[in-house]
Amino acid sequence: MNFLRGVMGGQPAGPQQSGAETIQKLCDRVASSTLLEDRRDAVRALKSLSKKYRLEVGTQAMGHLIHVLQTDSSDSEIIGYALDTLYNVISNDEEEEQDESEEENSQKEAEDLGSQLTDALINEQENITLILRLLEEFDFHVRWPGVKLITALLKKRCGPVQGIILVSPMGVSRLMDLLADSREIIRNDALLLLQQLTKGNAAIQKIVAFENAFERLLDIISEEGSSDGGIVVEDCLLLLLSLLKNNSSNQNFYKEGSYVQRMKPWFEVRDDNSGWSAQKVTNLHRMLQLVRVMVSPVNSPGAISSCQKAMHHCGLLQQLCAILMATGVPADILTETINTVSEVIRGSQDNQDYFASVNAPSNPPRPAIVVLLMSMVNERQPFVLRCAVLYCFQSFLYRNHKGQEEVVSTLLPSTIEASSITAGQLLCGGLFSSDSLSNWCAAVALSHALLDNPAQKEQLLRVQLATSAGTPPISLLQQCTNILSQGSKVQTRVGLLILLCSWISSCPIAVTHFLHNHQNVSYLTGQISENQGEDERLVQGLCALLLGICICYNDNSLENHTKEKLKQLIEKRIGKENFVEKLSFISKQEQYSRAAHQPQPTGPTPEHMLFDHQFTKLVKELEGVVTKSVYKSSEEERKEEEVKKTLEQHDSIMTQYKELIREQDAQINELKEQVVSLSSQSEQMKRTVAQQVLQIQQHRDQHSILKLKLEKGSQQAGGQGEEAQMNGLQREELSRLREELQELRGRSARLEAELADRNAIITSLNSERAQTVNGLENNAETLKELEALRSRVASQSTQISQLQAEKQDLLKTAAQSAKEAVDPAASDLQSLLTAQTQESQRLKEEVRRLAESGAGAERQLASANSSVAVLEAERARLQEELAESRKEQDDLLMLLADQDQKITTLRSRLKALGEPIEDEDDLDSQDQGDDDDDEPDD
């Protein structure tokens, strides 16, 4: 009530009503009045008091207002008053003048009151659903207060209200429909509402995106003038950022919907310097942020790659590069554009190649990379711009071996041209300038030209620098160590140490060149052993890392600086524990954690730029390796080398066995294919033989029928011959017919003999086929043996893998345990290796025997193939003979038909001469009864 008295102020004594009493009477009127006009007047009065008496209206009238929304939804005026009243009591839009001393406490109390009233309103989910349903009303006095009320509720209690809207039927869809409202004030407030609605809720973001939000928002941006538009364009861009940031599903939908292409017109910047209003700068800044969201390094590599390709193909990258080379662009826009181009080209070979081909509009034209590097090493340029250029150069070299080679080649003597400025010259100039930030940026940029590229590390050793006239040139490596030993600024030394660590790591030749100068080792040990202040701890840690790299990648080619001697030097002058402690200083720095978080180099001030993102990965990788190398003794290293050699031998044996197994697999697969082919051929031969047997049987049946017809014709011809002899007619013709009949009988006998021979051949072929099937079965047994041996080989391979794992465990144990624990483990390993060698010999013998079996199987297969070829040839010959038999049968049938015709003619002539002739039926029956009688004489 203290707050209430503070708001209401003192009230004079007397019968005058207080604000609370007035509000109570108005609430009674809303609850009890039967006329709509009375209720409307009461709600209007509550609205007028709601800003001044938020607590009283909120606590006493909220339930009545909700009831009005439920029962009087047909009257838009009273609904509008009720929604405005609820908005006033929840939001904190007080405009009363307050003293500065009371302002903070009053603001806090007002926010607490708004949150409490919001909790009371959303306690019943039906209240939010009711307000969402009222938004479907097109009346301005209902829709606009409803939009403001939902926005205020989301600001007060975003998470709970989001959950209610998410489960409400068509809740998100109703809010999305507001973007299509023709009244700009409602559409613009709907943008603010959707910004609050989609904040931090991936599920709602997906629903909004699939409700065609991208299309509507891009249309609004185009209608409002794109980058030249007002605050509405900024609100649309903020909503797009809310929908796409950290939401891979929406990003993929945005890319596949071809919305990336619609961003290209946003970046068409004119050449004149006019038109850069504050709102346009803000809009273009948001647009560049939107591009970066799509290709941010935190996204999945596949999504980044596809977006980078789309931006290149649609010309968006070209537009961004045009802004880089344009004149009159504000510094903050230019900086953000450089950062955007950096992430569009990062890791994309096509985009990096295009960026390398971009030239600045100068005379003569210079590559864009050179122009940007000139800004990076210029100490008069803004700090954020120089960091952006460094990020762009790093992104250009990221996974770009071609670009790394081109940068390093500009430092080599054969490629230097006095008439042009190259990237290498600018980097060397920045590396040795008086500005510490230029030193650091140049060193880090040059280290990225060597990242994961041993060939370029060796090439950089060839770089020679001319320090002054009359003095011989010195190597770039020596010049870096000279500047390092001169005791320059911390930032300069850190940059040089980053470059040296990146340079000599994983490169024994570079380590040898570095150790060749005895002063380098003395400088490093001196820096590490000193007890200096907090500012020098990072330098000490980096020196320890550099010295540790010299131990890890030392090939012992220098007698005075072998691994063992460097370890003894550390133990005597520094101490192993002190060395490891100094090495751990690197990862304990605040700048290290910030650089490890994101690839883009950032910092509040130039002095805070000490670490690079890729270098933090190198430190994380080498810290444990260097620590182990320092603590290992020479005996442990010797035994470790022996174990490594043994493992290499074992790996070579494993490789041989793997090759042998691959060959056996190939042979087994080939034999399987041959067995399958032979099986199919055998089945085909079976079907062919069955068909031939069936055809032969059919031919036999046809031959039997033909034989019966020939005999019948012979008997008929014999009877007619006797009658002709009796009558003295056609004697010569009958004699000829008898000769033909005898010839046909002989031919029939020959056919029967040929059929018998063919049956014998078929029987022989069947026996040969049976032998072939037996051979195939033997081959199948051989394949089973191959499969068994293959399983044994696989089992041996598993045992070998287990043995290799045991050896790895033994190696770790040998590295951590004392000498006494190493010897028995090595003997066990030797015994296991001996047993494995014996087992390998036995397995080779098995393989040899299997090879012999396979050769026998191949011979059997060759024999089976020859048998199959013989069968095929015999089958072809039988088919030809069958064709000839069919032709002969056709000829016989034609002869029989001619004979029948002649007999019919003779019978008709005998009838004409008056000779008695029997009917055909009688002759047929007589012929059937006399089939066994002898043939009559001529």
Side-chain angles (χ1 to χ4, degrees), residues 761-828:
I761 292 172
I762 290 171
T763 304
S764 176
L765 291 176
N766 287 331
S767 63
E768 290 180 2
R769 184 177 62 81
Q771 293 177 0
T772 302
V773 172
N774 292 332
L776 292 176
E777 292 177 354
N778 293 332
N779 290 338
E781 294 177 358
T782 303
L783 288 176
K784 290 181 180 178
E785 293 179 0
L786 287 172
E787 290 293 339
L789 182 57
R790 184 182 178 185
S791 63
R792 293 183 61 186
V793 170
S795 175
Q796 292 296 327
S797 178
T798 304
Q799 293 178 4
I800 291 171
S801 300
Q802 293 176 355
L803 179 59
Q804 187 175 9
E806 292 176 1
K807 289 176 184 177
Q808 293 293 340
D809 297 337
L810 180 59
L811 179 61
K812 293 180 181 178
T813 305
Q816 298 176 357
S817 62
K819 177 181 178 181
E820 293 79 5
V822 175
D823 293 336
S827 62
D828 293 341

Side-chain angles (χ1 to χ4, degrees), residues 158-174:
C158 186
V161 177
Q162 284 177 335
I164 296 173
I165 294 176
L166 186 61
V167 300
S168 178
M170 300 295 293
V172 178
S173 298
R174 291 190 178 103

Side-chain angles (χ1 to χ4, degrees), residues 78-141:
I78 192 174
I79 295 297
Y81 293 149
L83 292 173
D84 281 332
T85 305
L86 291 174
Y87 171 76
N88 291 336
V89 299
I90 288 174
S91 63
N92 185 24
D93 293 340
E94 292 184 358
E95 298 179 356
E96 296 180 0
E97 296 182 358
Q98 298 178 354
D99 296 336
E100 293 182 359
S101 59
E102 299 178 359
E103 184 176 357
E104 184 177 354
N105 293 332
S106 177
Q107 181 73 16
K108 183 177 180 180
E109 291 177 355
E111 290 179 356
D112 292 341
L113 175 61
S115 299
Q116 293 173 5
L117 294 176
T118 300
D119 292 336
L121 180 60
I122 67 175
N123 191 33
E124 297 292 335
Q125 296 187 8
E126 292 79 6
N127 296 339
I128 305 298
T129 305
L130 174 62
I131 298 172
L132 292 173
R133 190 166 60 248
L134 291 173
L135 291 178
E136 295 180 350
E137 179 65 38
F138 187 75
D139 191 289
F140 179 81
H141 297 90

Side-chain angles (χ1 to χ4, degrees), residues 59-70:
T59 54
Q60 299 182 32
M62 182 174 292
H64 299 292
L65 296 173
I66 296 297
H67 183 71
V68 167
L69 296 178
Q70 294 172 345

Side-chain angles (χ1 to χ4, degrees), residues 486-701:
Q486 292 173 2
S488 52
K489 294 181 181 179
V490 173
Q491 191 175 35
T492 300
R493 285 182 289 163
V494 168
L496 291 172
L497 288 169
I498 289 175
L499 174 60
L500 291 173
C501 290
S502 303
W503 191 346
I504 71 173
S505 64
S506 303
C507 186
I509 298 178
V511 172
T512 302
H513 279 72
F514 180 79
L515 294 177
H516 191 73
N517 187 352
H518 302 287
Q519 297 178 357
N520 293 338
V521 178
S522 301
Y523 170 77
L524 294 178
T525 54
Q527 287 288 318
I528 300 170
S529 59
E530 291 180 1
N531 292 322
Q532 299 177 351
E534 291 290 334
D535 295 339
E536 297 292 331
R537 280 192 170 188
L538 177 58
V539 176
Q540 290 180 322
L542 293 173
C543 289
L545 178 63
L546 184 59
L547 186 58
I549 293 173
C550 292
I551 296 174
C552 293
Y553 299 102
N554 194 335
D555 58 1
N556 296 326
S557 59
L558 296 177
E559 183 178 357
N560 295 330
H561 293 97
T562 61
K563 288 184 178 181
E564 186 60 30
K565 290 186 177 180
L566 290 177
K567 290 180 184 179
Q568 293 175 0
L569 184 64
I570 290 174
E571 188 173 3
K572 291 179 181 179
R573 296 190 57 182
I574 303 173
K576 293 182 178 179
E577 291 77 9
N578 188 27
F579 178 85
V580 174
E581 182 182 1
K582 296 294 178 64
L583 181 63
S584 64
F585 287 163
I586 301 175
S587 58
K588 293 179 181 179
Q589 300 291 323
E590 180 183 356
Q591 294 90 341
Y592 177 90
S593 301
R594 184 171 62 248
H597 182 66
Q598 60 179 357
Q600 181 179 356
T602 56
T605 60
E607 292 77 15
H608 285 79
M609 300 300 295
L610 296 175
F611 281 101
D612 170 60
H613 177 74
Q614 293 295 333
F615 182 71
T616 60
K617 293 183 178 180
L618 181 65
V619 171
K620 186 177 180 181
E621 177 185 350
L622 293 178
E623 187 174 1
V625 177
V626 170
T627 302
K628 290 181 181 179
S629 298
V630 170
Y631 277 105
K632 285 180 184 176
S633 64
S634 59
E635 185 67 22
E636 289 175 345
E637 287 189 352
R638 184 183 63 79
K639 291 185 176 181
E640 183 178 346
E641 291 294 332
E642 292 179 355
V643 173
K644 286 182 178 180
K645 292 180 180 178
T646 305
L647 289 176
E648 290 176 357
Q649 295 176 356
H650 180 268
D651 291 339
S652 65
I653 295 173
M654 285 290 299
T655 303
Q656 294 176 1
Y657 277 117
K658 287 179 180 178
E659 292 295 331
L660 180 60
I661 291 172
R662 290 192 187 98
E663 293 177 359
Q664 292 176 349
D665 285 341
Q667 293 176 359
I668 290 172
N669 292 331
E670 184 178 357
L671 289 175
K672 283 183 177 180
E673 292 176 358
Q674 291 178 0
V675 168
V676 172
S677 176
L678 288 175
S679 299
S680 62
Q681 291 178 4
S682 176
E683 293 295 331
Q684 185 177 0
M685 289 298 298
K686 287 180 180 179
R687 291 192 296 269
T688 303
V689 170
Q691 291 175 0
Q692 290 180 352
V693 170
L694 181 60
Q695 290 176 358
I696 291 172
Q697 185 64 36
Q698 292 175 355
H699 291 162
R700 284 179 178 175
D701 295 340

